Each structure stands twice: as structure tokens, then as C-alpha cells.
Amino acid sequence: QKEVEQDPGPLSVPEGAIVSLNCTYSNSAFQYFMWYRQYSRKGPELLMYTYSSGNKEDGRFTAQVDKSSKYISLFIRDSQPSDSATYLCAMSVSTGGFKTIFGAGTRLFVKA
Amino acid sequence: DADVTQTPRNRITKTGKRIMLECSQTKGHDRMYWYRQDPGLGLRLIYYSFDVKDINKGEISDGYSVSRQAQAKFSLSLESAIPNQTALYFCATSDSQGGRTEAFFGQGTRLTVV
């Protein structure tokens, strides 16, 4: 079993839809939870970062962490064609990027 | 200019050839990483380095070697390339200070071994 499981999709939604992206994990020691966005032919870029449980909101994006269920989510409201990308969840035990474990990534297509 | 620069961006090589991928960074970070990305498998860590004198194997180091020539430079070598090393390779950096856990990635090198 992989430490981090993420449905690779692809996920196709119409513009304006609410998008839900999810990951599950098995290592209860993870404390830092990240979402990276990767556009085609580019490297991943950090989108959001959460420590421990709870919610974090940044504009149209909301990250949720449920440590009791070992489940994290990223919600995108009012999705735009420019949100079309691959979204990778990532988790680590400690800071400084040390031994970050990445999910496989979910490809998202937002149709205009 | 990009903060993390990888060269080359694309490379096609033959089985058995030695190839080096190079990475340089201007972020001043002490930690550098090499990952490979394969469809359905995500990013997997090959090697990482916490400073010039520190090299550590990652999840999938067999068939690869690295050199940290300076704080800003970290190269990945495939001593004898094989077709299943065809993948997208990323260099990344991170800062050990500040309590953040963000990694900064280069643009990637698409390697094809034929």
C-alpha cells in the first residue's frame, strides 16, 4: 500500500463548478499537508500548505485536513479554465521539505 | 531567470550511455533534491542533499548517482541508461529554516532512453 493515495483522474468539470480533490494517507506521523499545482511542461508549485488538522482558505481555494480519517481535500470554488492542471497532494513529518511524500496527482480539466 | 534551473530540458539517449542532468539554484537554499515523475506514480525521490558534504539515497536510487559540486549545484548521473529510466526528472530545493516545508522545483528534464 502506498503511503499516499490520490485518484489520478482525469477530472473534467464545466467552468464555475466546485471541484473537490482528495488524498488519503496511512502514516499517522504526517503533520504538514501541501497541495501543489503543476501546469503542463512545468514543475510543481506550492498552492497551499496546512499544519495538522483543520481548514485553510486562500481565495477560491480551501484545504481541509482530517487527521482522524487520514484524509485531505482541496476545494476549488468557481473553477476557471486557468485552473486546468495536475494537482498533487504532498505530506511530510517535518519541516524544510525533508522526505516529502507526494501523491500521484489528479489531472483537472475545466471547460469554458 | 528561473530560481531553479535544469539542463537540458529534453534529452534522448541510447541504452548504455552515461548521461548527466544538471541543476543550479539561486534561492540560497541548503537542501536540494532529485525526483522522477512517472504517470500514475507521482514524484519519487531519487537522492537528496542537505549540504555540500551530505548526500542521501532516496526511495529509488538504484542506477543513479549524484554530485553536489557547490551549495547551488546538484547533478544527477545515469551511469548506464536503460529504457525504464525514461521519465520526467525534477530538481527541487528547500530551506531548512523558517518552519516552512515548501519545495521549489525546476522546469524538469524530459529524458527518453531508446
Side-chain angles (χ1 to χ4, degrees), chain B residues 5-10 20-24 34 108-109:
Chain B
T5 303
Q6 292 182 232
T7 55
R9 291 293 311 279
N10 293 281
M20 179 182 289
L21 309 183
E22 298 186 339
C23 176
S24 63
W34 276 104
T109 295

Side-chain angles (χ1 to χ4, degrees), chain A residues 57-77:
Chain A
E57 188 172 321
D58 184 1
R60 297 184 294 110
F61 299 88
T62 300
Q64 286 186 352
V65 175
D66 181 350
K67 293 190 75 177
S68 62
S69 301
K70 297 189 179 69
Y71 189 87
I72 71 170
S73 300
L74 177 71
F75 297 97
I76 307 174
R77 292 183 299 279

